[in-house]
Amino acid sequence: MLGRLSDRVLSWIDSSLAAFGHGFVLAWTKVERSYRRPLSQVALRLKFAFYPLLAIGAIAWLAWDWSHARSLNSAEDAIFDLVVQWRPFEPQPSGRVVVVEIDECSIEYFRGRDEGGWPWSRQRHADLLDQLDRTGVRAVGYDVLFVDRSSEDPVGDETLEAMARGGAGRFIFSSTRLHPDYDEGSPLRASQAPAAFPLQRHPLDDPRVALLLPYGEEMTRFSGIANVTRNADGVLRDIPLRETVGDWALPSLPLRLATTAAGRTPGDFAAVVRPNWRQDTRLPRISAADILTGQPVCRDAKTTPPALKGRLVLVGYTASGLNDSKPTPVDPVMPGVEVMAEATEALIAGSAIRAPPAWLKYVISVLLATLTAFAFYRGEPTTDIDSVFVAANVTMLTAAFVGLTFFGFFFDVFASIGFVSLIFGLCRLYAGIQRGRAVGNGDFLPEFAPGQVCWLAIARLRFVPDVHLDTRAAARRRREYRRRLRRFLYAGSDAVMLEGVVERKSWLHEALDDLMVLVWHGESEASARAAARHDLARLERQLAEYDARSPDDGSVRLAFACAEIDDGVDDSDRGERRRLRDLLGQVVAAPSESPLARRTVFFDTADVSSGGS
């Protein structure tokens, strides 16, 4: 009993789904026809002009985008953030750059000893710098701004100034570039800024520049700009190494450290650097309290502190409430001192991420979009191009991941590939509309009504390569002929195309792929034959025009028949489908055929008998 009930339920569910599916497909067909048929009319008028128009539109948008928002470049920046997070491996830091952080532990340690909280006295900063100097560091970048003298600690002020003098450039203090609106009231010229260097041999433009500099003369002399500019979306990816003011450049804190350590001039470095951002293998660090006390105050006693001798050290605060955080691709609140340290690491260790110039992705987009449009303009490419396109894109994306992961090179083609994929999709969509008309798809043109239009003219076209061609050359010529034939039919004709008898790449395809069947219909035999005669004449002219430019080394053979179907008289078992199938079989299996140029043999001896000819 239960089995019968379950069978009834399953049968009801199955029949309900079948009825629903059938009804939905019929309704959806009406929806598709409501927009596909208007698109088909547009395609019939535009023909193949759509593809050059699309290429021109794509190039125009790329040119506008390059000169305005550069959204393609911005999209690449967002993709870079994902790639740098998804890569399977991160580069290990060289260990040549160490971060000394004024963290919460360091502040709380001295507060707990009743030696004051934050801000620290100038003397404590001087003591920290002195301790670092005693460890044998190569150079120190102090990412703490000392703008005014301390009324409570004048001795500490003088100590810091004396250390700057004695360090002779080994200790670099931070300064800040103010907004250009303040430049007019500044007494300082660009050439007078600390370590300013000319951008050309004979600098002429020397405007005023507003800077917040350390209070001491020697500290000012050995200072570098520490504030950085973010990308348009607010994320810090590229760190500027200098500030351009007129014909002069003002070096940043990382740049001054790099020139000190490497013994190179500031002009030897690029204007910006993109660090190889890390989220799991961060730079070595140590708390300031551990340096000041020489004891493991803030670290585990079993943990070995990073080596400082011969290293470049960046000192800055990371404590909550004091942290000058910056959003980076791997950390939305990365401490400012760590940002400076990553930039210094990139310069010293040569680990900066290299990328092609921004204009290259626009050039690639232009070339690929133009090539795609041209490929479809020649005629709809084989469907194999879809898999080739996907494989090429996957290869390029894989190369971008591998380049960033193992070689520090970001081949930023992601946005370009996305843009070209859009162009490819539009070309494929338009070609689908053209093909829908050519094959007689009822979604793109009115369906055949055999009760009103009962005469069909059918032609079989076959390309025969010249005997002197080898197998590969013959296959290429045959493929080119089919492309030309499709282009002719896609541009608009009265014929319906039946391309292929079996599926492509099946074991029978090679034996039957030389067949192309064209079908015309008319209310009378004369109208059906006239439509066939007109299209075949046009086809011969077009093939001849192509041959003048690029000979196909072969000839086109034609077999033809015309007959009346669904005459409403024959009530035997030879119904409509068999008669139409017989007509198709008669043409496909016709033993006699004639060159397309001598097609009149089929039209001058028309047989108007019911069987057709």
Side-chain angles (χ1 to χ4, degrees):
M1 184 67 180
L2 292 177
R4 294 181 179 178
L5 179 60
S6 63
D7 290 343
R8 292 176 184 175
V9 172
L10 291 175
S11 176
W12 177 82
I13 293 175
D14 185 64
S15 60
S16 299
L17 289 176
F20 173 78
H22 179 70
F24 176 80
V25 169
L26 291 179
W28 182 245
T29 298
K30 296 179 180 178
V31 174
E32 287 183 321
R33 291 180 178 180
S34 66
Y35 67 86
R36 284 184 171 178
R37 289 188 178 179
L39 288 177
S40 177
Q41 294 300 315
V42 172
L44 187 61
R45 287 164 174 77
L46 279 180
K47 295 181 170 47
F48 281 83
F50 171 82
Y51 300 107
L53 290 176
L54 178 62
I56 292 172
I59 294 172
W61 183 86
L62 288 169
W64 181 90
D65 188 59
W66 171 258
S67 59
H68 290 77
R70 297 198 179 183
S71 56
L72 195 68
N73 198 46
S74 299
E76 204 67 73
D77 287 338
I79 295 172
F80 169 80
D81 297 348
L82 296 178
V83 176
V84 80
Q85 295 175 33
W86 291 350
R87 60 183 174 177
F89 305 103
E90 286 183 344
Q92 294 292 328
S94 66
R96 299 169 62 184
V97 178
V98 179
V99 176
V100 174
E101 50 185 347
I102 304 174
D103 53 6
E104 293 181 357
C105 175
S106 298
I107 295 174
E108 290 302 321
Y109 173 78
F110 290 103
R111 179 183 286 117
R113 295 168 59 90
D114 294 329
E115 296 181 16
W118 186 261
W120 281 356
S121 66
R122 297 292 168 82
Q123 186 60 53
R124 184 169 297 153
H125 287 293
D127 292 341
L128 177 58
L129 195 56
D130 179 61
Q131 290 295 328
L132 290 171
D133 188 28
R134 292 175 184 275
T135 62
V137 296
R138 180 71 178 274
V140 178
Y142 221 96
D143 190 21
V144 177
L145 189 59
F146 302 108
V147 178
D148 301 316
R149 291 184 176 274
S150 174
S151 58
E152 300 178 356
D153 191 8
V155 176
D157 283 343
E158 293 303 324
T159 305
L160 275 177
E161 176 70 1
M163 295 196 69
R165 184 183 304 109
R170 292 176 53 243
F171 307 140
I172 309 298
F173 298 86
S174 65
S175 62
T176 300
R177 169 72 163 103
L178 297 179
H179 194 277
D181 290 347
Y182 297 98
D183 288 348
E184 188 63 30
S186 175
L188 192 67
R189 294 284 181 178
S191 59
Q192 300 169 334
F197 59 95
L199 295 175
Q200 55 188 31
R201 179 170 299 180
H202 302 291
L204 299 176
D205 188 13
D206 188 15
R208 299 179 184 275
V209 58
L211 298 173
L212 277 181
L213 298 169
Y215 62 83
E217 181 179 347
E218 294 299 320
M219 295 170 68
T220 295
R221 178 185 173 190
F222 301 114
S223 64
I225 297 175
N227 53 328
V228 293
T229 303
R230 303 179 186 180
N231 291 74
D233 59 357
V235 178
L236 180 62
R237 300 179 186 88
D238 302 293
I239 299 177
L241 297 179
R242 65 193 187 202
E243 179 78 18
T244 301
V245 182
D247 293 338
W248 294 83
L250 284 56
S252 66
L253 183 63
L255 181 57
R256 294 212 64 178
L257 284 173
T259 55
T260 300
R264 299 166 59 186
T265 62
D268 294 338
F269 296 90
V272 297
V273 64
R274 176 170 291 193
N276 207 325
W277 299 105
R278 292 171 281 255
Q279 57 184 346
D280 298 321
T281 57
R282 301 172 68 183
L283 296 174
R285 60 191 60 230
I286 185 172
S287 294
D290 293 348
I291 300 293
L292 286 167
T293 62
Q295 301 293 328
V297 174
C298 296
R299 74 173 191 276
D300 188 346
K302 298 180 181 179
T303 303
T304 302
L308 296 177
K309 185 176 182 179
R311 304 304 195 262
L312 294 179
V313 174
L314 274 295
V315 180
Y317 39 82
T318 62
S320 302
L322 304 178
N323 187 6
D324 179 24
S325 62
K326 304 290 191 301
T328 66
V330 296
D331 188 354
V333 288
M334 180 175 285
V337 64
E338 189 172 355
V339 171
M340 296 289 103
E342 286 285 6
T344 306
E345 167 81 3
L347 297 177
I348 297 300
S351 62
I353 291 177
R354 294 167 292 121
W359 55 263
L360 183 61
K361 65 175 67 69
Y362 285 83
V363 172
I364 291 175
S365 299
V366 168
L367 292 177
L368 293 181
T370 304
L371 180 62
T372 300
F374 181 70
F376 280 87
Y377 175 77
R378 294 181 69 248
E380 184 186 23
T382 174
T383 53
D384 286 343
I385 197 175
D386 296 354
S387 58
V388 171
F389 183 81
V390 172
N393 287 350
V394 170
T395 300
M396 296 176 71
L397 297 179
T398 302
F401 267 95
V402 172
L404 180 61
T405 302
F406 298 102
F407 303 101
F409 186 87
F410 181 57
F411 186 36
D412 48 354
V413 294
F414 294 85
S416 298
I417 289 176
F419 178 78
V420 175
S421 297
L422 173 63
I423 301 300
F424 183 89
L426 291 175
C427 288
R428 181 60 83 189
L429 175 64
Y430 187 80
I433 297 172
Q434 292 180 308
R435 183 176 181 84
R437 283 190 57 86
V439 300
N441 189 319
D443 288 343
F444 296 93
L445 76 171
E447 292 182 337
F448 175 59
Q452 302 174 5
V453 182
C454 55
W455 279 90
L456 293 182
I458 301 181
R460 185 197 72 200
L461 297 176
R462 186 169 68 93
F463 179 77
V464 181
D466 290 347
V467 294
H468 70 273
L469 298 176
D470 58 30
T471 303
R472 176 174 296 183
R476 182 172 64 84
R477 300 302 200 284
R478 186 179 290 110
R479 184 181 297 110
E480 179 66 9
Y481 154 73
R482 295 177 74 86
R483 181 194 64 78
R484 294 176 179 181
L485 181 55
R486 285 197 301 269
R487 193 180 195 281
F488 167 77
L489 296 170
Y490 284 11
S493 71
D494 294 325
V496 169
M497 172 181 73
L498 304 180
E499 183 179 20
V501 179
V502 296
E503 289 292 333
R504 294 181 63 256
K505 296 186 176 181
S506 71
W507 62 280
L508 283 173
H509 183 263
E510 185 175 355
L512 298 173
D513 71 339
D514 61 344
L515 299 181
M516 170 70 82
V517 177
L518 303 183
V519 183
W520 296 266
H521 59 78
E523 297 179 356
S524 65
E525 181 179 10
S527 61
R529 287 179 176 273
R533 184 186 300 111
H534 177 260
D535 275 343
L536 291 174
R538 289 176 49 240
L539 175 61
E540 183 194 6
R541 290 195 298 271
Q542 179 168 308
L543 292 178
E545 292 175 359
Y546 276 115
D547 289 344
R549 298 194 300 268
S550 177
D552 52 17
D553 299 324
S555 62
V556 180
R557 305 296 178 87
L558 169 69
F560 183 84
C562 183
E564 183 181 19
I565 63 170
D566 194 24
D567 54 13
V569 176
D570 187 359
D571 57 356
S572 68
D573 60 351
R574 293 176 53 82
E576 172 193 333
R577 290 185 177 275
R578 288 197 61 187
R579 294 194 61 182
L580 178 56
R581 182 166 60 249
D582 289 346
L583 180 59
L584 286 171
Q586 174 186 343
V587 176
V588 171
S592 61
E593 55 187 8
S594 177
L596 179 61
R598 297 177 56 192
R599 64 191 175 280
T600 54
V601 68
F602 295 108
F603 299 106
D604 293 342
T605 58
D607 180 5
V608 295
S609 64
S610 60
S613 65

